[in-house]
Amino acid sequence: MPPSDRRPLTLRDVSEASGVSEMTVSRVLRNRGDVSPTTRQKVLEAARQLGYVPNKIAGALASQRVNLVAVIIPSMSNMVFPEVMTGISRVLEETELQPVVGVTDYLPEKEEKVLYEMLSWRPSGVIIAGLEHSDASRAMLAAAGIPVIEIMDTDGTPVDSAVGISHRRAGREMAKAILAAGYRRIGYMGTRLGLDHRARKRFEGFTEALAKGGVEIEDQEFYTNGSALGKGREMTAAMMARSPELDFLYYSNDMIGAGGLLWMREQGYDVPGAVGMAGFNDVQLLHGLPSKLATMDSCRQEIGRRAAEIILARLNGEDAPSGKVELTPVINPGDTLRAP
């Protein structure tokens, strides 16, 4: 029979296959009650051979919650968010909780839709990227009655708790490092600031610190549609043709920065002697390049881990941080930022 025509397996099927009562099967599969190791193994082996998966809807109706954690992020193509997911998954994998991912493409209206659908399943918690949401999304998060952890950013007021870094501080610290190294004629390349709030905050902190040092950005260029090596090469070639006097190029993320670095090396530029370069995120994938781009670690896996730990602690009635948990990113000068 085709799978779609078969009836769902039930506890009775596992009971008949294992030779024990349905009540005992239920206890084993829910990990409840006093069942001997031999009987437990017999039930689990029968369920495995049959391909039986427990129906948790009935339990969810009683508790008004399912063992899911809604994780809402803006992108899966950006290398940042898979690393956040790794941190979340490593914490939850030893529990009954499972992360379920929704992607918003940095669009507030899509975030509303994804959040509405996920909350309708009554998850046990929500982990959501960013602190900027529409009024409707904030209302849904505030009324959900479950732990809500906003991640990646601490420059703002969370609905419940936030785990991340201050992007304004990250921008300021990179600007200070660039000025301390003696660079003064600076170009900036990054995502359009209206969609990516965290990139906007880094840019604001960056320009603020430059201004305090008496320096302004001399050239800048913004793009949409993803972060890629090719985009970095294209933007860097255009900027250096337009502003050949620049002595530092700062990128909003490592992927376009690495593309720019490859182009600069191919063109024979003295990096970091004549022109310095830096990105953001410290993407592990790029560590194998011949030259390592200066960057700043945005603590991605730790953010995911700490957010999941707060969810677990809250659900278990344990003490957990409330408000903001701010982590500290560290600058890695790589091969493209000369020493002060």
Side-chain angles (χ1 to χ4, degrees):
M1 231 192 302
S4 59
D5 293 336
R6 297 174 187 162
R7 68 172 177 81
L9 293 169
T10 66
L11 287 178
R12 176 172 294 181
D13 295 308
V14 181
S15 171
E16 292 174 354
S18 60
V20 303
S21 69
E22 289 184 41
M23 182 175 292
T24 301
V25 170
S26 176
R27 286 174 179 164
V28 170
L29 296 179
R30 291 186 297 115
N31 199 25
R32 299 283 193 275
D34 185 15
V35 180
S36 72
T38 301
T39 300
R40 182 177 299 277
Q41 184 59 35
K42 187 186 299 184
V43 170
L44 292 175
E45 184 60 29
R48 189 161 37 245
Q49 289 183 0
L50 289 172
Y52 176 79
V53 176
N55 180 351
K56 294 191 175 182
I57 291 178
L61 290 173
S63 67
Q64 294 295 300
R65 292 283 173 253
V66 294
N67 289 333
L68 301 176
V69 174
V71 181
I72 303 173
I73 56 178
S75 171
M76 283 298 283
S77 60
N78 187 328
M79 290 301 298
V80 170
F81 296 105
E83 292 188 34
V84 174
M85 286 303 306
T86 297
I88 294 171
S89 297
R90 285 179 177 169
V91 171
L92 298 185
E93 64 188 0
E94 299 300 326
T95 75
E96 293 184 348
L97 296 173
Q98 289 292 326
V100 179
V101 180
V103 178
T104 68
D105 296 321
Y106 293 95
L107 299 173
E109 62 274 18
K110 190 168 182 181
E111 182 180 87
E112 280 184 27
K113 183 175 185 298
V114 170
L115 184 58
Y116 180 88
E117 293 296 331
M118 286 196 159
L119 289 178
S120 72
W121 286 96
R122 298 298 188 267
S124 294
V126 174
I127 297 174
I128 185 167
L131 292 167
E132 283 76 23
H133 313 288
S134 69
D135 290 343
S137 290
R138 288 187 69 85
M140 284 188 281
L141 291 168
I146 55 177
V148 173
I149 316 299
E150 291 161 281
I151 59 171
M152 310 302 290
D153 193 1
T154 59
D155 293 315
T157 304
V159 171
D160 180 356
S161 295
V163 179
I165 66 170
S166 165
H167 287 266
R168 289 194 176 92
R169 177 184 175 188
R172 287 195 300 268
E173 293 302 316
M174 183 58 79
K176 291 176 184 177
I178 291 168
L179 294 177
Y183 300 105
R184 290 296 181 272
R185 312 199 73 171
I186 298 167
Y188 175 85
M189 285 166 267
T191 54
R192 290 203 180 278
L193 302 178
L195 294 177
D196 189 339
H197 295 288
R198 290 171 291 286
R200 171 181 56 79
K201 292 173 184 178
R202 285 197 304 279
F203 182 75
E204 291 169 353
F206 185 70
T207 54
E208 174 191 314
L210 289 183
K212 287 184 178 178
V215 173
E216 293 185 1
I217 291 177
E218 293 196 11
D219 197 353
Q220 53 190 296
E221 187 165 341
F222 302 94
Y223 73 98
T224 54
N225 300 326
S227 305
L229 296 175
K231 180 66 71 174
R233 294 173 67 95
E234 172 191 321
M235 295 170 72
T236 303
M239 183 169 287
M240 294 307 293
R242 202 167 54 230
S243 306
E245 72 285 354
L246 295 177
D247 66 4
F248 201 92
L249 303 176
Y250 180 46
Y251 300 83
S252 68
N253 63 70
D254 283 353
M255 295 303 289
I256 56 169
L261 175 58
L262 291 173
W263 185 86
M264 294 287 282
R265 293 295 193 192
E266 289 171 5
Q267 302 304 310
Y269 281 90
D270 175 12
V271 179
V275 183
M277 307 177 73
F280 180 79
N281 273 322
D282 199 8
V283 173
Q284 301 294 311
L285 177 68
L286 302 176
H287 286 189
L289 292 179
S291 296
K292 189 173 187 317
L293 183 71
T295 187
M296 181 175 278
D297 176 16
S298 57
C299 311
R300 299 174 301 284
Q301 282 200 34
E302 186 178 0
I303 286 171
R305 179 179 63 79
R306 296 283 289 273
E309 287 174 348
I310 293 173
I311 295 275
L312 280 181
R314 295 271 193 87
L315 295 176
N316 292 330
E318 301 167 359
D319 289 337
S322 58
K324 299 178 187 178
V325 177
E326 184 172 321
L327 307 178
T328 303
V330 177
I331 293 176
N332 183 340
D335 302 313
T336 65
L337 177 64
R338 64 190 179 216

